[in-house]
Amino acid sequence: MSSHKKTKSAAFRTSLMVALALAVFTIGEYFLALSYSGAALLLLIGLVKAYFVVNFYMHISRLWTPEEGH
Amino acid sequence: MAALTSRAEHYGIALRNNRMGLWLFFLSELFLFGGLLSTRFYLWGGTRPETDQFIGLLVTIVLLVSSVSMNLSETALEHGDRRTFMNGLVVTAVLGMAFFFGVLIFEWGLFPSIYEGHLKPWDDVYGAVVFAMTGMHAIHVLSGVGFIAIVWNLGRKGHFSPEEHWGVEACAIYWHYVDLVWIFFYPAIYLIGTVHHG
């Protein structure tokens, strides 16, 4: 375990903040699609959501920080 | 002491290889889901089938919340909180099954007494593509729930610790991958394009 590991409450807070961001973008794209049907903007929102999931939930950075355990 | 250090080093090396292997697996899966997404844009172009928007949003939120519970579960184990870890797995699996049955009932219309679905896989390109996309995704949801069940059973028997829990990490990452795919499938099926009235 790395020494700079977040405390449990801080880690939970990050998780919930990411969830909030994902919820805002999901509801945002739903309402956007009521008046806009283009692919570009909706896929762009998808990419932003994907960034949050890949970075915070899937921990992609652990691939190039080998010293970090779990 | 030396044996302990050696074991930790060995685990660290195995962990790095496992992570790389899992992400390479995701890369291979990207071709599968990318192919389905390309099929949608090639065959539908700027149109989409008439689907229930609210149900689309609802199942998406269910999957999103399941990703949060999975992350909380993994985070809890990393901090030695086994109770939240186990409960988080159960919540995730239940939400995963809710999503799965949501697909069967509302997208596929397999239970007309509950909800009358209007798309059929053999009708036209809309039905065929929706069933291919949601079907392939649903298989991954189902296998993810199976994965969670295995991890839950091992956790119940005392496996996994804050220091060594690759099985939990892999399960969590796999589940988030399922969510990641839906992040692009949801707008592709429900939001992008003008409605085609068949």
Side-chain angles (χ1 to χ4, degrees), chain B:
Chain B
M1 187 65 187
L4 276 177
T5 309
S6 170
R7 181 177 149 65
E9 276 175 13
H10 176 75
Y11 184 78
I13 292 166
L15 188 62
R16 283 198 294 278
N17 291 339
N18 288 342
R19 282 174 178 158
M20 184 55 74
L22 187 63
W23 279 92
L24 286 174
F25 165 69
F26 291 151
L27 190 65
S28 72
E29 289 262 290
L30 194 64
F31 289 96
L32 173 70
F33 289 116
L36 286 168
L37 208 55
S38 303
T39 305
R40 176 258 178 259
F41 283 105
Y42 181 74
L43 292 176
W44 294 2
T47 64
R48 64 176 166 82
E50 196 168 7
T51 47
D52 193 322
Q53 294 280 297
F54 181 70
I55 284 173
L57 179 66
L58 200 65
V59 293
T60 301
I61 287 174
V62 167
L63 199 61
L64 173 72
V65 175
S66 79
S67 237
V68 179
S69 62
M70 189 75 217
N71 183 256
L72 291 176
S73 173
E74 183 192 6
T75 304
L77 181 66
E78 284 176 349
H79 292 86
D81 181 356
R82 292 192 75 84
R83 193 174 167 202
T84 308
F85 158 59
M86 295 295 283
N87 289 341
L89 288 178
V90 172
V91 171
T92 307
V94 168
L95 290 170
M97 288 312 291
F99 177 87
F100 180 72
F101 281 109
V103 169
L104 297 189
I105 295 168
F106 299 114
E107 284 174 344
W108 291 9
L110 287 188
F111 303 96
S113 56
I114 304 173
Y115 186 85
E116 190 79 48
H118 57 278
L119 283 172
K120 297 283 176 283
W122 49 79
D123 274 354
D124 52 21
V125 289
Y126 295 101
V129 171
V130 165
F131 272 74
M133 289 174 79
T134 56
M136 190 54 72
H137 185 259
I139 287 171
H140 283 75
V141 170
L142 210 54
S143 57
V145 171
F147 198 167
I148 290 169
I150 291 167
V151 167
W152 180 84
N153 190 43
L154 289 172
R156 188 177 60 84
K157 291 175 182 171
H159 288 256
F160 310 122
S161 67
E163 292 78 25
E164 295 189 9
H165 57 270
W166 163 243
V168 177
E169 185 183 333
C171 179
I173 295 175
Y174 181 83
W175 191 257
H176 298 311
Y177 185 76
V178 170
D179 186 30
L180 184 69
V181 169
W182 192 252
I183 282 176
F184 293 100
F185 274 21
Y186 166 59
I189 294 172
Y190 286 94
L191 305 180
I192 294 170
T194 50
V195 176
H196 170 84
H197 298 282

